[in-house]
Amino acid sequence: MTPTGTSKIPDILTKYRADILTDWTRQQLENTAMRRGVLRESDVTEQSGEFLNAFAEAVGAGNLTDLRGEKWDAVREVLAAVSRSRAKKGFTPSETAMFVFSLKQSLLTRLRAEIGDDTDAVASEGWTVNTILDRLGLFTTEIYQKGREEVILRQQQELMELSTPVVSLWENVLALPLIGTLDSARTQVVMESLLQAIVKSGAAIAIIDITGVPTVDTLVAQHLLKTVAAARLMGADCIISGIRPQIAQTIVHLGVDLGDVITKATLADAFALALQRSGMMVASVKGRS
Amino acid sequence: MERIPILKMGRYLLVTVQVDMHDRLAMTLQDDLTNQIVEHKARAVLIDISTLEIVDSFIGRMLANIAAMSRVLDAMTVVVGMQPSVAITLVELGLSLKGVYTALNVEKGMEFLTTSLSGEDGADAGNTG
């Protein structure tokens, strides 16, 4: 029935569209039973319907091999939209790819029923369906990956902006509480915002608090020293505070030379020193020392 | 020839760099400054680089050299008003200007000089504290 090369798939897709859609949707809902909360049945039906329409049109155009061609643009668009929305909702890659793969069963069942006894034809048509859907599945995963990467990138950026506030503790005293690991990119941001703040406020002392920095290795220490050196060039003294006992041990074991940078165990100590240096003192109201 | 003016203010010499510092200009400054320190028996040199926006390793080294030379002639050097971008560049170039005093602006630089020199010279003894 198919030796002429014309595929039965377009006919089947048009003829049994409603049946395939029902089967497929039901199967998807079974597969994603755990996700009932995030994925509504109406959404699944709508997405599946859109995909089937685009798929039928692309197959109907007669090109069953070149999935990168413009005939398949609509299919790829629908898939990309589905994939992105699922990536955002926290689906796993396989759950996302199952969207396409789960179409196989209903499509192949119809195919077998339609073609009947011609095993050669069933095999060859089955092969075509498999190839197409496999490649579409891979495409879904690719888009899914891209969607996740975008999310990660955005979060990184937000983290970068969030985690480097420069706060003014007192007249002429700035504090820079660092949270999280210091890498080169972050050091650059930290350094720039600190120096800008020094220029803006005319501060003479800047306290860099590293209580929130989980580990200090040679690289982090080097970044800290760079920041201190730059601040010194601008005419501001730096105090590094918030050095935990373990970190003090690590610094010495690594042989990191903090040079003549003033270090204090806590932010409070550093603040007291800063006040003292700027000629101020904090006294108890009752006059007790 | 273009020169960077050196102003004498009592025991201090004030240098304000208002133009782009190119290499020859920096060499001339170094020459002039050492001569003036000796001539006026200056105790300190204050270099204002607040308008300097671009530095390279040569200018950075020049600043360090000027400071070292002044120290040999028994005068302190204070560099004031460095821009953040200049500071970052110098640090990345590995020039942290050890031995050079720095201050945020001319006012603070002057204040610093007055306090640090008041001890050794009777004139400003009242200002310590």
Side-chain angles (χ1 to χ4, degrees):
Chain A
M1 285 168 104
T2 50
T4 49
T6 48
S7 173
K8 277 266 181 195
I9 301 173
D11 295 344
I12 292 166
L13 274 174
T14 341
K15 207 163 155 190
Y16 299 105
R17 184 180 179 279
D19 291 343
I20 292 178
L21 183 58
T22 325
D23 270 9
W24 186 27
T25 315
R26 187 177 41 74
Q27 207 176 352
Q28 280 188 72
L29 288 172
E30 274 167 23
N31 285 339
T32 55
M34 305 291 286
R35 300 282 184 182
R36 219 24 84 70
V38 269
L39 200 64
R40 275 181 316 214
E41 193 176 335
S42 59
D43 281 350
V44 176
T45 319
E46 195 192 318
Q47 287 171 346
S48 309
E50 268 176 34
F51 177 77
L52 271 188
N53 288 344
F55 186 58
E57 204 174 300
V59 173
N63 191 343
L64 296 182
T65 45
D66 181 23
L67 296 191
R68 301 254 167 227
E70 57 185 46
K71 291 274 191 294
W72 288 84
D73 278 354
V75 178
R76 285 204 305 270
E77 256 166 51
V78 173
L79 269 186
V82 170
S83 190
R84 277 209 193 90
S85 80
R86 294 198 178 189
K88 276 194 192 123
K89 280 176 183 160
F91 279 60
T92 64
S94 32
E95 276 171 328
T96 311
M98 275 313 275
F99 172 74
V100 175
F101 291 144
S102 56
L103 175 62
K104 273 187 194 176
Q105 196 185 353
S106 49
L107 194 55
L108 287 176
T109 319
R110 304 284 160 211
L111 200 68
R112 202 176 300 126
E114 182 74 2
I115 298 174
D117 295 335
D118 189 346
T119 39
D120 279 356
V122 170
S124 92
E125 292 280 33
W127 176 247
T128 317
V129 168
N130 264 322
T131 322
I132 295 174
L133 289 184
D134 281 352
R135 281 165 71 179
L136 288 178
L138 283 177
F139 175 76
T140 322
T141 322
E142 235 169 69
I143 295 292
Y144 172 89
Q145 200 79 19
K146 269 191 203 143
R148 293 295 271 219
E149 270 163 22
E150 278 163 23
V151 172
I152 293 172
L153 212 65
R154 208 188 56 236
Q155 282 173 344
Q156 258 177 353
Q157 231 150 16
E158 277 169 14
L159 215 69
M160 190 91 100
E161 284 159 12
L162 279 177
S163 59
T164 51
V166 182
V167 290
S168 176
L169 280 187
W170 205 267
E171 196 187 330
N172 286 341
V173 182
L174 288 179
L176 181 72
L178 290 179
I179 315 274
T181 317
L182 273 181
D183 54 19
S184 308
R186 257 197 85 195
T187 314
Q188 198 71 21
V189 178
V190 167
M191 212 193 267
E192 272 166 29
S193 50
L194 177 65
L195 298 191
Q196 291 295 351
I198 289 176
V199 173
K200 214 170 126 200
S201 65
I205 298 174
I207 302 171
I208 303 177
D209 185 75
I210 57 165
T211 314
V213 179
T215 47
V216 175
D217 53 17
T218 42
L219 207 63
V220 173
Q222 200 199 337
H223 287 146
L224 279 175
L225 287 176
K226 264 189 191 172
T227 312
V228 173
R232 197 191 71 84
L233 282 177
M234 306 257 315
D237 279 331
C238 271
I239 304 172
I240 296 180
S241 75
I243 300 175
R244 277 172 279 127
Q246 282 144 319
I247 292 202
Q249 289 178 30
T250 324
I251 288 176
V252 172
H253 283 155
L254 286 174
V256 174
D257 181 18
L258 283 181
D260 42 13
V261 182
I262 310 159
T263 48
K264 289 278 174 191
T266 62
L267 183 60
D269 291 343
F271 185 47
L273 178 69
L275 283 182
Q276 192 197 329
R277 284 216 171 172
S278 37
M280 278 176 273
M281 62 180 292
V282 177
S284 161
V285 180
K286 287 176 186 164
R288 285 177 300 181
S289 55
Chain B
M1 200 183 98
E2 201 181 8
R3 268 172 199 280
I4 293 174
I6 300 171
L7 313 173
K8 180 176 171 289
M9 282 181 66
R11 296 171 303 166
Y12 312 136
L13 291 180
L14 186 60
V15 182
T16 42
V17 181
Q18 307 247 351
V19 288
D20 273 342
M21 190 110 114
H22 52 77
D23 294 2
R24 183 180 288 272
L25 203 57
M27 295 292 281
T28 321
L29 175 66
Q30 183 179 310
D31 236 17
D32 287 353
L33 197 58
T34 39
N35 282 328
Q36 299 256 350
I37 292 173
V38 174
E39 193 181 320
H40 299 298
K41 298 190 176 64
R43 303 287 298 117
V45 178
L46 194 139
I47 306 175
D48 175 30
I49 55 166
S50 52
T51 48
L52 195 68
E53 277 173 357
I54 298 166
V55 286
D56 54 15
S57 54
F58 185 79
I59 301 296
R61 207 160 40 107
M62 225 56 206
L63 286 174
N65 282 353
I66 287 174
M69 288 166 190
S70 310
R71 202 162 44 242
V72 175
L73 297 169
D74 196 25
M76 339 170 28
T77 307
V78 185
V79 173
V80 302
M82 193 182 289
Q83 300 281 332
S85 51
V86 172
I88 293 175
T89 312
L90 286 182
V91 170
E92 294 296 339
L93 287 172
L95 294 163
S96 52
L97 302 188
K98 288 244 157 57
V100 180
Y101 297 98
T102 48
L104 199 64
N105 49 39
V106 178
E107 197 183 3
K108 292 199 173 174
M110 275 295 180
E111 206 180 291
F112 169 75
L113 282 180
T114 317
T115 0
S116 25
L117 289 178
S118 58
E120 46 186 89
D121 198 308
D124 283 352
N127 286 352
T128 39

